[in-house]
Amino acid sequence: MFGLDALTLARIQFGFTVSFHILYPAITIGLASYLMVLEGMWLWKGKPVYRDLYHFWSKIFAVNFAMGVVSGLVMAYQFGTNWSYFSAFAGSVTGPLLAYEVLTAFFLEAGFLGVMLFGWNRVGPGLHFFSTAMVALGTLISATWILASNSWMQTPQGFEIVDGRVIPVDWLKIIFNPSFAYRLAHMTIGAFLSTALFVGASGAWHLLRGNDTPAVRKMLSMALGMLLVVAPLQIVVGDLHGLNTVKYQPAKIAAMEGHWENKPGEGVPLILFGIPDMAAETTRYAIEIPRLGSLILTHSWDGQFPGLKEFAPEDRPNSTVVFWSFRVMVGLGMLMLLLGVWGAWARWRGRLYTTKWMLRFALLMGPSGLIAILAGWYTTEIGRQPWVVYGVMRTAHAVSNHSAMTLSVTLIVFIVMYIAVFGTGTSYMLKLVGKGPHPHEEAVGTDHAEGQSLRAARPLSAAPDSIDPALTGKE
C-alpha cells in the first residue's frame, strides 16, 4: 500500500492501535483518582456538590474504562501476530511483566469495579470509598507494569542472551531499569493533566452555555487548581527525564534537538524551529538560541552532547518526525501552564467563572493533554528506532514474515473498525458530558438509587439508560 514495505506497515498498524489505546487508559487513570478525591470530600465535608460530581463522572469513567479494555486486547494480540520474532526473543521478560499486570491491577479492578459503580446504596460508605480507592490504585498499578515493560525496552538491563533469547537474571534490575522512574512519573502526571484539562473544558463549556451551577463551578475550580500544581511539576519531571535520556539514549536526544555536530569549545544552541533534513545531515531554516541547549540538557553553559553525525546513518532516529513531535508536546505543556496561571489570576480577581476568554481557552485546551501524550509517545517510540530493544534487537529483526498486502488489508480493516467502534463510544461519552451534572436523588425505601439498575457489573452498563427517553418512558 502506497509503496510501503511490510516493516513500515507493521509499525504503522501497531502505532495506530496503540495511539487509540493510550488515550483511554490515560483518562481512566486520572478519572479514577478524581473520583476517589470527590468521594473522599463528600464523606469528609458532606456537601452534595461532591456527591453529584461523583455520580456524573462515574458514568463517563465507566464508558471510558470499557473502551480502554477493548482497545488493549487488540494491542496484546499484535505482539504475537505482527511481532512474533520479538515475542520469541524477549517474551521471557515482557510476558511476565504483562502477566503481573493482570494478576495485580486487573484482578484488583475487577474485584472492586462493580461495587464502585453499582454499590452506592448497597454497601456502607466506608466500603464504597475503599472500592473506589482500590480501582484508582489498580489503574496506577497497571501503568506501573506497562511502563516497566516499555522502559526495559528503552533501557534494558538485568538479562543475558542465551541461544538467541533473552533470559532474565535480575528482576529488580529489569523492573527498576534506569529510565523506569522517569517514564512512570511522566506518564502518570500526563494522565492527571489530561483529565484536569478534560474536566476543566467540560466545566467551561457548561458555563459558556449558561449552565452555571455549583457542581459546574466546582469541577472547573478543581480542574484549574490541579492544572496549576501539576503543570509545573511535569516540567520538572520532563527535565529530569531529558537528563536521563542524554545518558542512556543520546541519539534520541540529538534527533529531538535537530543537533548534528558539536563545535569545539562552544555550547549547543537550542533550535526552536527548523526542518531537519536526514539526507543532507542538517537542520534547515533553524531559529536558534545560543547555548540554551547546553544549559537545558547538561545544566552547564558550554556542555555538549553527541550530535547525530556521531552515529552511523543506520542507527539514527528520524529527526524530522521526532523534532516536531517533541515540540508539539512541549508547546502544549507551556499552554497548559499558561491556563493554570490565568485561572489562578482570575480566581484572585474573583472572576474565575465569568472571564469569557479564559473559559474559551479552557474549552479549546480540553483535548490538549491527550494530544501531548500522543506527541510524547511518538517522540519516545520513534526516537528509539531503529531498535525495538535499545541496542540489543533491531525493529527489522522483530517483525513477523507477513506480506505487505496482508498488512495493508488488515490496516484498512483496523482503521474502519476503530473509527466505527471508538467513534461511537467517544461520541456517547461526550454526549454524557454534555448532559452536565445533576443533583443525585438518594433512594427512599429501596435498596438502590433511582436510575441505578440491578444489572450485572459490566462497565458500559453503568451508563444511564435515561440518556434515551425512549428507554425509560420519560419525556
Side-chain angles (χ1 to χ4, degrees):
M1 185 173 73
F2 305 117
L4 301 176
D5 59 18
L7 172 60
T8 304
L9 287 167
R11 290 180 59 196
I12 291 173
Q13 189 176 119
F14 191 76
F16 176 79
T17 55
V18 176
S19 293
F20 270 84
H21 176 64
I22 199 173
L23 300 179
Y24 298 112
I27 295 297
T28 296
I29 291 169
L31 276 184
S33 295
Y34 181 49
L35 289 169
M36 183 182 67
V37 171
L38 288 173
E39 187 168 9
M41 294 298 291
W42 157 245
L43 292 174
W44 179 30
K45 294 185 176 294
K47 294 183 178 180
V49 64
Y50 295 112
R51 177 200 62 200
D52 297 342
L53 284 175
Y54 180 92
H55 288 284
F56 172 64
W57 285 106
S58 65
K59 301 179 183 75
I60 297 162
F61 170 83
V63 178
N64 188 85
F65 183 91
M67 291 192 291
V69 171
V70 172
S71 63
L73 292 175
V74 178
M75 182 189 68
Y77 277 111
Q78 281 192 338
F79 281 113
T81 57
N82 289 7
W83 304 98
S84 57
Y85 290 107
F86 165 74
S87 297
F89 176 74
S92 57
V93 169
T94 59
L97 291 177
L98 296 180
Y100 297 154
E101 181 198 12
V102 173
L103 292 172
T104 55
F106 281 6
F107 282 12
L108 190 64
E109 292 167 344
F112 290 99
L113 184 63
V115 179
M116 171 187 167
L117 294 179
F118 302 101
W120 186 264
N121 288 295
R122 295 176 175 81
V123 300
L127 177 56
H128 191 274
F129 175 69
F130 180 75
S131 299
T132 303
M134 289 301 98
V135 171
L137 177 62
T139 64
L140 294 173
I141 293 174
S142 178
T144 299
W145 290 116
I146 292 294
L147 268 296
S149 178
N150 181 264
S151 297
W152 179 82
M153 294 165 66
Q154 301 277 351
T155 51
Q157 66 173 20
F159 69 97
E160 294 179 354
I161 297 178
V162 179
D163 296 330
R165 296 175 185 266
V166 168
I167 302 299
V169 296
D170 190 331
W171 277 104
L172 288 179
K173 286 186 176 180
I174 289 172
I175 296 170
F176 299 101
N177 58 79
S179 64
F180 166 71
Y182 304 101
R183 295 180 192 281
L184 178 61
H186 202 47
M187 181 62 201
T188 303
I189 294 172
F192 290 154
L193 275 172
S194 298
T195 304
L197 289 159
F198 180 34
V199 172
S202 303
W205 188 81
H206 284 288
L207 287 170
L208 288 169
R209 289 174 57 88
N211 184 18
D212 190 349
T213 66
V216 168
R217 287 191 169 211
K218 179 60 69 175
M219 68 182 184
L220 177 70
S221 175
M222 293 179 73
L224 293 184
M226 182 71 171
L227 196 62
L228 183 64
V229 173
V230 178
L233 181 62
Q234 183 72 309
I235 293 173
V236 174
V237 171
D239 176 66
L240 295 173
H241 189 11
L243 296 177
N244 177 265
T245 307
V246 169
K247 181 177 180 180
Y248 291 98
Q249 294 179 304
K252 179 187 292 186
I253 286 291
M256 289 162 54
E257 298 300 321
H259 175 54
W260 291 92
E261 59 184 333
N262 293 309
K263 297 179 181 179
E266 293 186 17
V268 179
L270 176 67
I271 302 177
L272 295 176
F273 302 103
I275 303 177
D277 187 329
M278 296 298 292
E281 298 185 333
T282 187
T283 299
R284 301 184 184 278
Y285 315 111
I287 300 175
E288 303 177 346
I289 299 178
R291 298 182 180 272
L292 188 57
S294 292
L295 188 62
I296 293 174
L297 288 166
T298 69
H299 288 187
S300 65
W301 192 243
D302 55 0
Q304 295 185 342
F305 51 90
L308 281 171
K309 288 186 178 181
E310 296 185 34
F311 303 92
E314 63 272 17
D315 293 338
R316 298 172 186 171
N318 189 325
S319 180
T320 308
V321 177
V322 174
F323 180 89
W324 280 105
S325 62
F326 177 69
R327 275 149 186 76
V328 169
M329 180 186 68
V330 172
L332 289 174
M334 294 298 104
L335 291 177
M336 294 172 200
L337 180 60
L338 173 62
L339 177 58
V341 173
W342 194 352
W345 179 82
R347 191 192 304 270
W348 178 66
R349 295 289 300 273
R351 300 178 59 187
L352 180 62
Y353 312 108
T354 58
T355 305
K356 298 296 185 181
W357 282 107
M358 188 208 69
L359 294 176
R360 294 188 184 100
F361 184 39
L363 179 59
L364 289 173
M365 288 293 290
S368 63
L370 296 175
I371 296 172
I373 285 178
L374 281 178
W377 181 76
Y378 294 152
T379 300
T380 294
E381 300 305 312
I382 298 174
R384 179 180 58 189
Q385 299 304 316
W387 305 98
V388 64
V389 180
Y390 196 78
V392 177
M393 184 185 199
R394 290 183 177 271
T395 307
H397 299 157
V399 69
S400 301
N401 292 324
H402 296 310
S403 67
M405 178 57 69
T406 299
L407 289 165
S408 298
V409 171
T410 54
L411 176 58
I412 292 172
V413 171
F414 272 122
I415 292 173
V416 173
M417 293 301 298
Y418 268 55
I419 291 175
V421 173
F422 296 108
T424 301
T426 301
S427 176
Y428 180 64
M429 185 169 63
L430 293 176
K431 188 176 182 179
L432 290 174
V433 173
K435 298 286 287 186
H438 297 285
H440 177 74
E441 298 181 12
E442 297 289 354
V444 178
T446 64
D447 63 348
H448 63 280
E450 181 181 350
Q452 198 172 19
S453 73
L454 294 175
R455 292 171 294 182
R458 292 173 287 112
L460 277 176
S461 66
D465 285 345
S466 56
I467 195 75
D468 185 351
L471 297 176
T472 62
K474 298 179 181 179
E475 298 293 338

